[in-house]
Amino acid sequence: LILIVGLILISFHQFLRMESVDTLMEHGDTDPLQNRINAAVLRLVDMNINFMALDFDLTVIDEHTGGRWKGTPKELAEHVRPIFKTLIESALLNDINVAIVTFSGQTQLISEVLKLTFPDAPINIPIRGGYDPANGKQNHLALATKDLEKIAAKKGTP
């Protein structure tokens, strides 16, 4: 059973206070960051939340591509925010499914960025993108949920 919770990202940002986390990261002090992220992810587990959908532009990455990135996947991977790399790793380690839902149509590029960012991880992160003025990201969330259900069925897990 996949549970969609739409306000996770907002509460997570508030919990971590992005500016202070970025400052910690700049000074190389990652332990407090890791501890705070792990605590937040464990709280999600305690709440029986098993699905986290993340936007890509200006969320997972610190750049707004507008769906028109001209550089290489490697160049874009350099823009992945350390906080989201850590968040995604922690979520996956705690059996929280992760999906990327974006208005960008460059889903193959985003897939390559994730492969570069997590080279040693066998990750199954659905990426749903494209601009849908009638439904916003609701359709992306629904399709990502179906993707995760298919992945779970192949693994034989609920």
Side-chain angles (χ1 to χ4, degrees):
L1 174 66
I2 304 293
L3 175 66
I4 298 175
V5 176
L7 297 178
I8 275 185
L9 190 57
I10 294 169
S11 61
F12 192 80
H13 276 297
Q14 290 171 343
F15 177 77
L16 291 173
R17 295 186 190 136
M18 284 291 269
E19 295 82 18
S20 62
V21 171
D22 288 341
T23 302
L24 286 171
M25 294 296 292
E26 288 170 10
H27 292 92
D29 190 3
T30 58
D31 286 342
L33 172 65
Q34 184 70 50
N35 292 339
R36 291 171 82 180
I37 289 173
N38 287 339
V41 168
L42 290 175
R43 178 70 179 120
L44 297 177
V45 170
D46 288 343
M47 296 169 62
N48 293 317
I49 293 171
N50 63 358
F51 178 37
M52 180 184 307
L54 301 172
D55 184 37
F56 192 70
D57 285 13
L58 290 176
T59 303
V60 173
I61 62 171
D62 62 6
E63 186 79 25
H64 186 264
T65 69
R68 296 179 299 275
W69 182 258
K70 302 271 191 244
T72 67
K74 184 178 179 185
E75 290 169 334
L76 188 55
E78 293 172 9
H79 291 275
V80 172
R81 293 179 189 210
I83 186 173
F84 282 96
K85 181 176 188 301
T86 304
L87 172 63
I88 291 168
E89 290 170 338
S90 183
L92 294 172
L93 284 172
N94 285 282
D95 297 321
I96 295 177
N97 296 292
V98 176
I100 302 294
V101 292
T102 178
F103 286 134
S104 172
Q106 293 183 298
T107 56
Q108 184 59 42
L109 172 68
I110 294 168
S111 178
E112 292 299 318
V113 167
L114 293 176
K115 287 177 188 170
L116 290 166
T117 304
F118 306 101
D120 300 323
I123 57 172
N124 290 308
I125 298 178
I127 303 163
R128 289 298 179 157
Y131 183 64
D132 182 354
N135 298 306
K137 292 186 182 170
Q138 294 302 314
N139 193 44
H140 296 337
L141 287 167
L143 292 171
T145 300
K146 287 184 181 192
D147 292 341
L148 289 168
E149 288 170 346
K150 288 177 188 174
I151 292 166
K154 286 181 185 178
K155 289 182 184 176
T157 57

